[in-house]
Amino acid sequence: MENVMKKVGKASSFLTKYIGIIIICFSVIAFFWRDGFAWTTNYTSIFLGVAMFGMGLTIKMDDFKRVFSRPKEIVIGFVAQYTIMPVVAWGLCQLMHLPTDLALGVILVGCCPGGTASNVITYIAGGDVALSVGMTITSTLAAPLMTPLLVYLLAGAWVEVSFLAMVISVVKVVLIPVLLGILINWIFGKQIQKISEVLPLISVVSIVMIISGIVSVNTEKILSCGLLVLGVVALHNLCGMGIGLGAAKLLHIEYDKATAIAIEVGMQNSGLAISLATANFVANPLATLPGAIFSVWHNISGSLFAGIRRGGTGTKEACLEVTE
């Protein structure tokens, strides 16, 4: 049994590390084999809830101690998360005169908390993983208030937004699953520890199913406006990482912590954006598209950014050794 768990754990680590490539592969398959994935759109909220539950299972009480032990970086990351990405999203929508559905989808992505994939990318980049986890926890737990409020304020010019309905949606698909996962980990910590390496697989499978489903039912729309959405999404993501990194440097944050903040700000929980669009904006079907494309893109750009930052870490360490 232990050998089986080890093998599954290794597979889980591999899939988590290369989630961007896996999402691209499944998205291509879903694009050409619609019937194989279209059914998943009926369970978008469930898949996201499962992903959030998997995240909750990985959170320990010690993680909260870590959050409170470094309030400066957490606050900087939190403020950057809920100002840079929403404002940049709104600005791009205005600048590019996006149609209502697409504008709504871009703003939904911008107003979401940091994604769990940011923790993996931060690890690959040689950044401060503990800080990344702390920022993800903080922004996720604040999402039931912050995300609906920001969408209400920024998207109200395009569509009628029900603040209360969005709060309920975020509580159901994010807060409750995460808190339930934390509670189970707290009660059955030793047992959960034995399967800890397998847990990221839950989130990987769930996110891949969400994105594949959205791609499969939007093939014609992707062909007609996919390049436009990709352009906006790429600009949004790159601005988030760039401005996040700039803000961290301006505030004299250390290299590894600045890396974590930049990645956290630029990588959103786009699965939540898709779920909110599906549940709350049925009259705007294209609003799910920016979230789906963002999910693919931010893993690619995040991996490239991680390679650059990891290379920078090595150069910095080498210079320090020479100086010493």
Side-chain angles (χ1 to χ4, degrees), residues 9-274:
K10 286 181 180 179
S12 177
S13 298
F14 176 83
L15 293 174
T16 303
K17 185 176 181 180
Y18 296 103
I19 185 172
I21 296 171
I22 292 162
I23 287 173
I24 292 171
C25 291
F26 272 85
S27 296
V28 171
I29 294 169
F31 186 87
F32 291 103
W33 185 34
R34 304 178 197 180
D35 295 340
F37 293 92
W39 62 273
T40 63
T41 56
N42 297 321
Y43 306 97
T44 299
S45 295
I46 294 173
F47 279 124
L48 181 62
V50 169
M52 291 295 98
F53 176 68
M55 175 188 169
L57 285 175
T58 65
I59 298 173
K60 303 173 185 176
M61 290 303 169
D62 288 342
D63 291 327
F64 289 101
K65 293 178 184 176
R66 222 176 274 129
V67 168
F68 293 115
S69 69
R70 50 177 71 192
K72 177 186 172 183
E73 291 88 356
I74 293 291
V75 169
I76 290 170
F78 182 87
V79 172
Q81 178 72 56
Y82 283 121
T83 54
I84 293 172
M85 291 302 273
V87 171
V88 169
W90 180 84
L92 287 171
C93 293
Q94 294 283 359
L95 185 66
M96 303 186 77
H97 305 289
L98 293 182
T100 298
D101 286 22
L102 296 182
L104 175 59
V106 171
I107 287 174
L108 277 168
V109 170
C111 296
C112 282
T116 52
S118 64
N119 308 148
V120 178
I121 297 297
T122 299
Y123 171 74
I124 296 169
D128 191 326
V129 179
L131 174 60
S132 176
V133 171
M135 288 188 293
T136 302
I137 292 170
T138 307
S139 65
T140 298
L141 293 178
L145 175 62
M146 294 303 298
T147 298
L149 178 62
L150 289 167
V151 173
Y152 178 78
L153 293 173
L154 297 176
W158 281 275
V159 293
E160 185 177 342
V161 179
S162 173
F163 176 74
L164 183 59
M166 287 194 69
V167 169
I168 293 170
S169 293
V170 182
V171 167
K172 285 196 296 188
V173 300
V174 175
L175 191 62
I176 291 175
V178 169
L179 292 179
L180 185 59
I182 293 171
L183 179 63
I184 291 175
N185 192 0
W186 181 53
I187 297 171
F188 304 104
K190 290 181 180 178
Q191 290 86 342
I192 296 297
Q193 188 62 34
K194 293 177 182 177
I195 60 168
S196 60
E197 292 183 351
V198 182
L199 295 178
L201 189 60
I202 298 172
S203 296
V204 170
V205 171
S206 299
I207 294 300
V208 168
M209 287 296 101
I210 291 171
I211 297 165
S212 300
I214 295 301
V215 169
S216 69
V217 298
N218 285 288
T219 51
E220 289 88 359
K221 294 167 187 173
I222 290 171
L223 288 171
S224 62
C225 60
L227 283 177
L228 171 64
V229 178
L230 177 60
V232 175
V233 158
L235 279 172
H236 188 202
N237 168 243
L238 294 174
C239 284
M241 285 195 291
I243 298 171
L245 183 62
K249 285 186 174 182
L250 195 65
L251 294 165
H252 306 292
I253 304 296
E254 295 170 30
Y255 191 92
D256 60 336
K257 293 178 175 60
T259 298
I261 290 172
I263 292 170
E264 187 69 22
V265 172
M267 297 188 71
Q268 302 292 88
N269 187 340
S270 44
L272 175 59
I274 294 169

